[in-house]
Amino acid sequence: MASSFLPIAPLNAPRKLAGYDFYHSILGSPKYIVAPMVDASELAWRRLSRRYGAQLVYTPMINAKHFRRPGKYGDGQFDRVHGEEGDPSTDRPLIVQFCAHDPDDFLESAKIVAPHCDAVDLNLGCPQDIAKRGHYGSFLQDEWDLIYRMIDNLHQNLEIPVTAKFRIFDDVDKTVEYAKMLEKAGAQILTVHGRTREQRGQNTGLASWDHIRAVKQAVSVPVFANGNILFQEDIQRCLDYTGCDAVMTAEGNLYNPLILNGLNGPPIFPTIPKHLPRPKVSSYMSDPQHLPPPLIALEYLDIVKSLDTDTTLSAVKGHLFKLLRPAIVQHSELRNKMGKIGKGSLTYKEGGLQPWIDVCEELWTLMCEIGSNSSAEVVAASDVSYWLTQPYFRPGPSWERQRRAPEPEYLEDLTVQSSTSLSIPGQIPTLSSIDAVAVS
């Protein structure tokens, strides 16, 4: 019969910091955070994101069931051989995220990465079908007892803190009770993605900052807000509206890794390689939030090449298609060329990166030759030239804009400024002028 008594730490054991002590002393009070993203927040991208202002970054989600067992799948999820992942000088602060549905799997996997990170996070937000089949992510949100046991198990038995990232329920009160349960179980930071489990794909819609604000007001641990972060202006607006300690960006960072540039110190500008031409339009290099994607992509590829830790070509391909998207939509010949890269090719260490470098340099040269900064080059949704980094506006069904009623009070003063953002400080706007769904 299992003992009902909690384990007693040795008298000389270091105290595990919790809540705001942990947030301030270990993490350094971060405000600008890059989310855990499958096949996207890998080491190379984390380094690029930190260079452009991220103060805390998460790993991609790791499946705890597989990770604790030796084999190809687990070994490739967090490289412990080369010492670059979780390196104190280049990859910290760092939180490693796991999906799990078994308390023992979660704890054993967390123990493996604990020496290499600052906290371990439980994914309670993934809404994809694979999460439903695997019994994890947001598909656990009705199993409060199981979630409690998983978090409590790490809280009691892991040397570093455990945190949780979750999606909301439609009902604000239920969302608050859920968050309070996570806090009681031992989660030392709560990240609230202000969308429900059903809000995904074309039905993504806008996140509810009202739900996030209600959680922040109800708990005593730090709260990170996630949702509707497309431009820098949205970050402070979110912090002001929700009262949260920090803002987490996901797709906003993937499509524009410069979204945090200049918020945490002087802005960084990429260097144009000496062998490449100079742009005719000087303004292309003037806005630290919107700079030419080919230069950022080349910078990312340089990081990939510099690492001993492997970066999957699927991650490289995903990043470059997102980064270069506005321009290659206009220049489909380059998009077609990118689509053919990697089919049966070498690994990047055997020269597999060169085709991507060639495309980036070709796109840069094209921009220098024909770029004019004219109104014809402006993407309507963002009001930014397609030659520059910018957010992605996901098309969505018109009914999504009418999904929630009545209209909250803050929308009475809402203005949509195409020159800055669709900065909506709460739930779903009912404005016919918005023809795209913002994703963060």
PDB file of all heavy atoms in Angstrom, residues 5-22:
ATOM      1  N   PHE A   5       2.137   9.762   3.110  1.00  0.00           N
ATOM      2  CA  PHE A   5       2.975  10.872   3.566  1.00  0.00           C
ATOM      3  C   PHE A   5       3.821  11.391   2.416  1.00  0.00           C
ATOM      4  O   PHE A   5       4.295  10.634   1.572  1.00  0.00           O
ATOM      5  CB  PHE A   5       3.889  10.412   4.706  1.00  0.00           C
ATOM      6  CG  PHE A   5       3.140  10.057   5.963  1.00  0.00           C
ATOM      7  CD1 PHE A   5       2.846   8.732   6.249  1.00  0.00           C
ATOM      8  CD2 PHE A   5       2.717  11.038   6.838  1.00  0.00           C
ATOM      9  CE1 PHE A   5       2.148   8.406   7.397  1.00  0.00           C
ATOM     10  CE2 PHE A   5       2.037  10.715   7.982  1.00  0.00           C
ATOM     11  CZ  PHE A   5       1.738   9.390   8.264  1.00  0.00           C
ATOM     12  N   LEU A   6       4.010  12.695   2.367  1.00  0.00           N
ATOM     13  CA  LEU A   6       4.832  13.319   1.346  1.00  0.00           C
ATOM     14  C   LEU A   6       6.298  13.104   1.669  1.00  0.00           C
ATOM     15  O   LEU A   6       6.682  13.035   2.834  1.00  0.00           O
ATOM     16  CB  LEU A   6       4.542  14.825   1.269  1.00  0.00           C
ATOM     17  CG  LEU A   6       3.122  15.203   0.869  1.00  0.00           C
ATOM     18  CD1 LEU A   6       2.972  16.719   0.886  1.00  0.00           C
ATOM     19  CD2 LEU A   6       2.783  14.657  -0.501  1.00  0.00           C
ATOM     20  N   PRO A   7       7.156  12.980   0.650  1.00  0.00           N
ATOM     21  CA  PRO A   7       8.586  12.791   0.902  1.00  0.00           C
ATOM     22  C   PRO A   7       9.187  14.000   1.598  1.00  0.00           C
ATOM     23  O   PRO A   7       8.795  15.141   1.329  1.00  0.00           O
ATOM     24  CB  PRO A   7       9.171  12.628  -0.511  1.00  0.00           C
ATOM     25  CG  PRO A   7       8.172  13.261  -1.420  1.00  0.00           C
ATOM     26  CD  PRO A   7       6.846  13.026  -0.778  1.00  0.00           C
ATOM     27  N   ILE A   8      10.117  13.746   2.513  1.00  0.00           N
ATOM     28  CA  ILE A   8      10.759  14.824   3.248  1.00  0.00           C
ATOM     29  C   ILE A   8      12.131  15.087   2.649  1.00  0.00           C
ATOM     30  O   ILE A   8      12.948  14.175   2.517  1.00  0.00           O
ATOM     31  CB  ILE A   8      10.899  14.456   4.740  1.00  0.00           C
ATOM     32  CG1 ILE A   8       9.504  14.210   5.358  1.00  0.00           C
ATOM     33  CG2 ILE A   8      11.635  15.557   5.494  1.00  0.00           C
ATOM     34  CD1 ILE A   8       9.563  13.743   6.799  1.00  0.00           C
ATOM     35  N   ALA A   9      12.389  16.319   2.252  1.00  0.00           N
ATOM     36  CA  ALA A   9      13.677  16.663   1.650  1.00  0.00           C
ATOM     37  C   ALA A   9      14.760  16.657   2.713  1.00  0.00           C
ATOM     38  O   ALA A   9      14.523  16.992   3.877  1.00  0.00           O
ATOM     39  CB  ALA A   9      13.594  18.047   0.999  1.00  0.00           C
ATOM     40  N   PRO A  10      15.976  16.264   2.344  1.00  0.00           N
ATOM     41  CA  PRO A  10      17.091  16.320   3.291  1.00  0.00           C
ATOM     42  C   PRO A  10      17.297  17.742   3.799  1.00  0.00           C
ATOM     43  O   PRO A  10      16.991  18.717   3.103  1.00  0.00           O
ATOM     44  CB  PRO A  10      18.285  15.853   2.445  1.00  0.00           C
ATOM     45  CG  PRO A  10      17.689  15.096   1.296  1.00  0.00           C
ATOM     46  CD  PRO A  10      16.374  15.735   1.040  1.00  0.00           C
ATOM     47  N   LEU A  11      17.861  17.844   5.014  1.00  0.00           N
ATOM     48  CA  LEU A  11      18.030  19.157   5.621  1.00  0.00           C
ATOM     49  C   LEU A  11      18.947  20.055   4.807  1.00  0.00           C
ATOM     50  O   LEU A  11      18.798  21.275   4.813  1.00  0.00           O
ATOM     51  CB  LEU A  11      18.576  18.996   7.043  1.00  0.00           C
ATOM     52  CG  LEU A  11      17.620  18.349   8.051  1.00  0.00           C
ATOM     53  CD1 LEU A  11      18.325  18.191   9.401  1.00  0.00           C
ATOM     54  CD2 LEU A  11      16.360  19.194   8.218  1.00  0.00           C
ATOM     55  N   ASN A  12      19.923  19.459   4.096  1.00  0.00           N
ATOM     56  CA  ASN A  12      20.862  20.264   3.328  1.00  0.00           C
ATOM     57  C   ASN A  12      20.470  20.445   1.866  1.00  0.00           C
ATOM     58  O   ASN A  12      21.250  20.942   1.067  1.00  0.00           O
ATOM     59  CB  ASN A  12      22.265  19.648   3.390  1.00  0.00           C
ATOM     60  CG  ASN A  12      22.291  18.235   2.821  1.00  0.00           C
ATOM     61  OD1 ASN A  12      21.238  17.651   2.559  1.00  0.00           O
ATOM     62  ND2 ASN A  12      23.489  17.697   2.635  1.00  0.00           N
ATOM     63  N   ALA A  13      19.258  20.010   1.500  1.00  0.00           N
ATOM     64  CA  ALA A  13      18.804  20.145   0.112  1.00  0.00           C
ATOM     65  C   ALA A  13      18.501  21.610  -0.191  1.00  0.00           C
ATOM     66  O   ALA A  13      17.947  22.327   0.639  1.00  0.00           O
ATOM     67  CB  ALA A  13      17.541  19.309  -0.109  1.00  0.00           C
ATOM     68  N   PRO A  14      18.870  22.089  -1.401  1.00  0.00           N
ATOM     69  CA  PRO A  14      18.567  23.475  -1.770  1.00  0.00           C
ATOM     70  C   PRO A  14      17.065  23.679  -1.901  1.00  0.00           C
ATOM     71  O   PRO A  14      16.335  22.787  -2.318  1.00  0.00           O
ATOM     72  CB  PRO A  14      19.276  23.641  -3.119  1.00  0.00           C
ATOM     73  CG  PRO A  14      19.387  22.250  -3.662  1.00  0.00           C
ATOM     74  CD  PRO A  14      19.575  21.372  -2.473  1.00  0.00           C
ATOM     75  N   ARG A  15      16.627  24.854  -1.490  1.00  0.00           N
ATOM     76  CA  ARG A  15      15.203  25.156  -1.568  1.00  0.00           C
ATOM     77  C   ARG A  15      14.799  25.406  -3.014  1.00  0.00           C
ATOM     78  O   ARG A  15      15.435  26.170  -3.732  1.00  0.00           O
ATOM     79  CB  ARG A  15      14.893  26.403  -0.725  1.00  0.00           C
ATOM     80  CG  ARG A  15      13.411  26.768  -0.687  1.00  0.00           C
ATOM     81  CD  ARG A  15      13.169  27.893   0.290  1.00  0.00           C
ATOM     82  NE  ARG A  15      13.716  29.153  -0.172  1.00  0.00           N
ATOM     83  CZ  ARG A  15      13.010  30.066  -0.847  1.00  0.00           C
ATOM     84  NH1 ARG A  15      11.751  29.842  -1.143  1.00  0.00           N
ATOM     85  NH2 ARG A  15      13.571  31.202  -1.226  1.00  0.00           N
ATOM     86  N   LYS A  16      13.737  24.729  -3.460  1.00  0.00           N
ATOM     87  CA  LYS A  16      13.232  24.938  -4.809  1.00  0.00           C
ATOM     88  C   LYS A  16      12.355  26.190  -4.803  1.00  0.00           C
ATOM     89  O   LYS A  16      11.344  26.244  -4.108  1.00  0.00           O
ATOM     90  CB  LYS A  16      12.430  23.724  -5.270  1.00  0.00           C
ATOM     91  CG  LYS A  16      11.865  23.868  -6.675  1.00  0.00           C
ATOM     92  CD  LYS A  16      11.339  22.547  -7.220  1.00  0.00           C
ATOM     93  CE  LYS A  16      10.098  22.086  -6.494  1.00  0.00           C
ATOM     94  NZ  LYS A  16       9.518  20.874  -7.149  1.00  0.00           N
ATOM     95  N   LEU A  17      12.763  27.188  -5.563  1.00  0.00           N
ATOM     96  CA  LEU A  17      12.009  28.438  -5.591  1.00  0.00           C
ATOM     97  C   LEU A  17      10.663  28.228  -6.266  1.00  0.00           C
ATOM     98  O   LEU A  17      10.512  27.390  -7.150  1.00  0.00           O
ATOM     99  CB  LEU A  17      12.799  29.520  -6.320  1.00  0.00           C
ATOM    100  CG  LEU A  17      14.132  29.935  -5.664  1.00  0.00           C
ATOM    101  CD1 LEU A  17      14.779  31.053  -6.452  1.00  0.00           C
ATOM    102  CD2 LEU A  17      13.916  30.353  -4.218  1.00  0.00           C
ATOM    103  N   ALA A  18       9.692  29.000  -5.837  1.00  0.00           N
ATOM    104  CA  ALA A  18       8.331  28.844  -6.330  1.00  0.00           C
ATOM    105  C   ALA A  18       7.748  30.199  -6.704  1.00  0.00           C
ATOM    106  O   ALA A  18       8.199  31.249  -6.236  1.00  0.00           O
ATOM    107  CB  ALA A  18       7.457  28.167  -5.271  1.00  0.00           C
ATOM    108  N   GLY A  19       6.733  30.173  -7.560  1.00  0.00           N
ATOM    109  CA  GLY A  19       5.973  31.361  -7.887  1.00  0.00           C
ATOM    110  C   GLY A  19       6.824  32.534  -8.304  1.00  0.00           C
ATOM    111  O   GLY A  19       7.706  32.426  -9.161  1.00  0.00           O
ATOM    112  N   TYR A  20       6.586  33.679  -7.659  1.00  0.00           N
ATOM    113  CA  TYR A  20       7.305  34.895  -8.036  1.00  0.00           C
ATOM    114  C   TYR A  20       8.781  34.854  -7.654  1.00  0.00           C
ATOM    115  O   TYR A  20       9.603  35.502  -8.312  1.00  0.00           O
ATOM    116  CB  TYR A  20       6.610  36.121  -7.440  1.00  0.00           C
ATOM    117  CG  TYR A  20       5.438  36.576  -8.279  1.00  0.00           C
ATOM    118  CD1 TYR A  20       4.138  36.242  -7.919  1.00  0.00           C
ATOM    119  CD2 TYR A  20       5.644  37.298  -9.446  1.00  0.00           C
ATOM    120  CE1 TYR A  20       3.063  36.625  -8.702  1.00  0.00           C
ATOM    121  CE2 TYR A  20       4.581  37.697 -10.236  1.00  0.00           C
ATOM    122  CZ  TYR A  20       3.293  37.356  -9.861  1.00  0.00           C
ATOM    123  OH  TYR A  20       2.234  37.732 -10.654  1.00  0.00           O
ATOM    124  N   ASP A  21       9.133  34.107  -6.619  1.00  0.00           N
ATOM    125  CA  ASP A  21      10.559  33.947  -6.301  1.00  0.00           C
ATOM    126  C   ASP A  21      11.281  33.295  -7.476  1.00  0.00           C
ATOM    127  O   ASP A  21      12.366  33.727  -7.884  1.00  0.00           O
ATOM    128  CB  ASP A  21      10.743  33.090  -5.044  1.00  0.00           C
ATOM    129  CG  ASP A  21      10.368  33.842  -3.784  1.00  0.00           C
ATOM    130  OD1 ASP A  21      10.320  35.083  -3.829  1.00  0.00           O
ATOM    131  OD2 ASP A  21      10.118  33.186  -2.763  1.00  0.00           O
ATOM    132  N   PHE A  22      10.675  32.267  -8.019  1.00  0.00           N
ATOM    133  CA  PHE A  22      11.248  31.590  -9.180  1.00  0.00           C
ATOM    134  C   PHE A  22      11.252  32.509 -10.403  1.00  0.00           C
ATOM    135  O   PHE A  22      12.258  32.620 -11.113  1.00  0.00           O
ATOM    136  CB  PHE A  22      10.447  30.318  -9.467  1.00  0.00           C
ATOM    137  CG  PHE A  22      10.700  29.705 -10.813  1.00  0.00           C
ATOM    138  CD1 PHE A  22      11.939  29.156 -11.116  1.00  0.00           C
ATOM    139  CD2 PHE A  22       9.701  29.668 -11.780  1.00  0.00           C
ATOM    140  CE1 PHE A  22      12.186  28.581 -12.363  1.00  0.00           C
ATOM    141  CE2 PHE A  22       9.936  29.098 -13.030  1.00  0.00           C
ATOM    142  CZ  PHE A  22      11.177  28.559 -13.321  1.00  0.00           C
TER     143      PHE A  22
END
